[in-house]
Amino acid sequence: MNGLVKRAFRYRFYPSEAQAAELSRTFGCVRKVYNLALQARAEAWTLRGERVGYEATSALLTVWKRTEELAFLAEVSSVPLQQALRHLQAGFTNFFAKRARFPRFKSRKKSRASAEYTRSAFRWRDGALTLAKMAEPLDIRWSRPLPEGAVPSTVTVSRDAAGRWFVSLLCDDPGVTPLPATDAVIGVDAGLDHLLVLSTGEKIGNPRHERRDRAALAKAQRALCRKQKGSANRNKARVKVARVHARIADRRSDFLHKITTRLVRETQTLVIEDLAVSNMVGNHRLARAINDAGWRRFRQLLLYKANWYGRDVIVVDRWFPSSKLCSVCGELAAVMPLQVRTWTCACGTTHDRDVNAARNILAAGLAVTVCGAGVRPQRNPPGGQSATKQKTLRREP
């Protein structure tokens, strides 16, 4: 990691009626401009084989504002509209680079309501934030202080399905610096009985956040189903369901942040598995528990925090048989059903399934670094199998 880290600080705020109305109009205009630009670019490519870039869509935006049908676009700040076009351009760039799917149209009911403001569209003075087209600063709840002397470069305002308003301030954080190096190295096995099992033998329990609120969620969803579609009461019931979901998501995020921060602070090198979560949720008996565990989010948090603080994360291949392999003698068991939590190898060693898997993941990750295979799992390695897929030979007595 070189230079200062750009970090977003997210806070809840409570807008006045005028501010809420202005932001709601802005959200709608952002969505409209994004969809119009996406349609124009798609039609240009489909009908004429022409690529339309950001500059062309920006010129189209000026034309749209001058029409009678879309004159309302000129009533809100132009910066969030331009940022929507930049986001669309980034989406097409990722699509052509085969990093993402083709951009999709934004839905009024399902898409995230947000607007992004750059420095020219907000005023930051004495800790008060005032957005363009607004006379008063936002009523922000400062749950934690910004870095000393920090000045936001970008402000993103959003409203979630539960009706909560948030503002995210992007600024440089000089407090993020590499931690002192240590010799600690651990393997991490993700599971459902225990969320994480470390190669040291430590087991971190699975809080099962969704299960704690399952009764409240079911009650709110039943009430929603009884309401007439399109009615005001149905919208109120929808918000109640969204609030339960938000409470579950907030607890899960808080727990994962605390766990990943602790692991990064205490460990120099962490080895994890490359789990195919999208494939695993195809098992309908386990899908609910897998989604509640948040394995993908855990990996995302671990990767960016390790990059911030000078730690290493090694990801071993998803096909590595960590659960079936004896960490003592290297014997590979023929089968290992999920219900088997402890097993005894032919060498006489009795294993805890998850601890044994974590130790095998650690050994495989260290082998990856020694063999020079890199930290990313190899799908089609030039020499045949990846370093983590080499056949493990059983040691002779």
Side-chain angles (χ1 to χ4, degrees):
M1 182 191 66
N2 297 320
L4 293 177
V5 170
K6 285 283 188 182
R7 188 173 181 181
F9 293 82
R10 185 167 174 255
Y11 304 93
R12 191 170 179 181
F13 74 98
Y14 295 85
S16 63
E17 291 186 6
Q19 290 173 337
E22 176 64 28
L23 289 173
S24 296
R25 284 196 300 269
T26 303
F27 295 158
C29 291
V30 166
R31 184 178 60 253
K32 183 68 173 179
V33 168
Y34 184 95
N35 288 341
L36 288 173
L38 176 55
Q39 182 179 2
R41 295 182 67 151
E43 289 178 352
W45 176 256
T46 303
L47 301 178
R48 303 185 299 273
E50 176 186 354
R51 282 195 179 186
V52 177
Y54 164 75
E55 292 78 9
T57 54
S58 180
L60 284 174
L61 176 59
T62 303
V63 176
W64 293 335
K65 288 181 178 180
R66 294 173 180 171
T67 63
E68 183 178 354
E69 182 183 1
L70 299 174
F72 61 87
L73 296 178
E75 297 176 2
V76 301
S77 173
S78 63
V79 172
L81 307 185
Q82 293 289 345
Q83 290 300 102
L85 299 180
R86 291 188 174 93
H87 294 164
L88 179 61
Q89 177 63 34
F92 273 100
T93 300
N94 291 330
F95 168 72
F96 288 121
K98 298 182 178 180
R99 292 191 297 265
R101 295 184 297 179
F102 191 84
R104 293 176 291 180
F105 289 98
K106 291 184 179 294
S107 166
R108 181 176 65 87
K109 293 183 178 180
K110 297 182 180 180
S111 298
R112 179 171 178 257
S114 66
E116 186 175 276
Y117 296 79
T118 57
R119 288 295 302 274
S120 61
F122 68 85
R123 182 173 69 249
W124 174 258
R125 184 175 300 169
D126 299 329
L129 177 67
T130 307
L131 301 179
K133 303 285 186 177
M134 294 185 184
E136 299 178 352
L138 299 180
D139 182 15
I140 301 175
R141 297 296 186 264
W142 299 100
S143 55
R144 54 177 173 168
L146 287 175
E148 186 176 356
V151 177
S153 59
T154 303
V155 171
T156 302
V157 180
S158 61
R159 183 186 61 218
D160 67 5
R164 302 180 301 177
W165 296 82
F166 295 95
V167 59
S168 180
L169 311 178
L170 183 67
C171 55
D172 293 326
D173 188 0
V176 177
T177 56
L179 296 170
T182 68
D183 297 328
V185 180
I186 62 170
V188 182
D189 178 62
L192 295 178
D193 287 342
H194 295 88
L195 183 64
L196 302 173
V197 178
L198 310 183
S199 55
T200 57
E202 179 185 355
K203 296 183 178 182
I204 299 173
N206 186 356
R208 302 184 187 275
H209 302 286
E210 185 269 341
R211 179 180 292 182
R212 291 174 55 187
D213 273 341
R214 186 171 296 177
L217 181 60
K219 181 179 179 181
Q221 288 174 330
R222 286 196 299 269
L224 175 63
C225 291
R226 291 194 295 266
K227 301 300 186 290
Q228 182 179 356
K229 291 186 177 180
S231 65
N233 283 338
R234 183 178 178 87
N235 185 59
K236 293 178 182 178
R238 180 198 60 77
V239 171
K240 290 183 179 180
V241 173
R243 285 175 179 170
V244 178
H245 279 295
R247 185 164 63 244
I248 295 171
D250 288 347
R251 283 204 304 259
R252 182 187 300 117
S253 179
D254 179 70
F255 181 78
L256 291 177
H257 269 291
K258 291 176 179 177
I259 290 298
T260 51
T261 298
R262 178 206 144 189
L263 292 177
V264 167
R265 285 177 176 173
E266 296 177 354
T267 313
Q268 180 64 39
T269 303
L270 300 107
V271 186
I272 61 176
E273 277 185 297
D274 179 34
L275 297 175
V277 178
S278 57
N279 295 338
M280 298 171 72
V281 294
N283 183 340
H284 298 294
R285 297 181 63 182
L286 298 176
R288 195 173 199 172
I290 291 173
N291 285 325
D292 187 31
W295 292 338
R296 182 175 295 167
R297 182 60 175 162
F298 166 77
R299 175 172 171 173
Q300 292 172 344
L301 297 178
L302 196 67
L303 288 174
Y304 84 71
K305 291 181 181 181
N307 183 53
W308 279 2
Y309 298 110
R311 302 310 199 196
D312 299 317
V313 176
I314 301 173
V315 183
V316 301
D317 198 284
R318 66 182 59 168
W319 302 110
F320 177 67
S322 59
S323 297
K324 298 191 292 184
L325 192 67
C326 176
S327 58
V328 177
C329 70
E331 175 73 18
L332 184 63
V335 293
M336 189 63 61
L338 283 176
Q339 63 268 24
V340 176
R341 308 316 303 173
T342 60
W343 59 283
T344 303
C345 179
C347 67
T349 306
T350 300
H351 294 291
D352 179 289
R353 177 195 181 102
D354 298 327
V355 175
N356 176 68
R359 290 171 179 169
N360 284 325
I361 291 170
L362 174 59
L366 297 180
V368 167
T369 59
V370 172
C371 297
V375 297
R376 290 186 179 272
Q378 293 179 316
R379 290 289 171 263
N380 296 302
Q385 293 180 317
S386 68
T388 59
K389 281 192 175 182
Q390 300 298 328
K391 182 178 180 182
T392 304
L393 299 177
R394 182 179 177 182
R395 292 186 300 182
E396 297 296 334

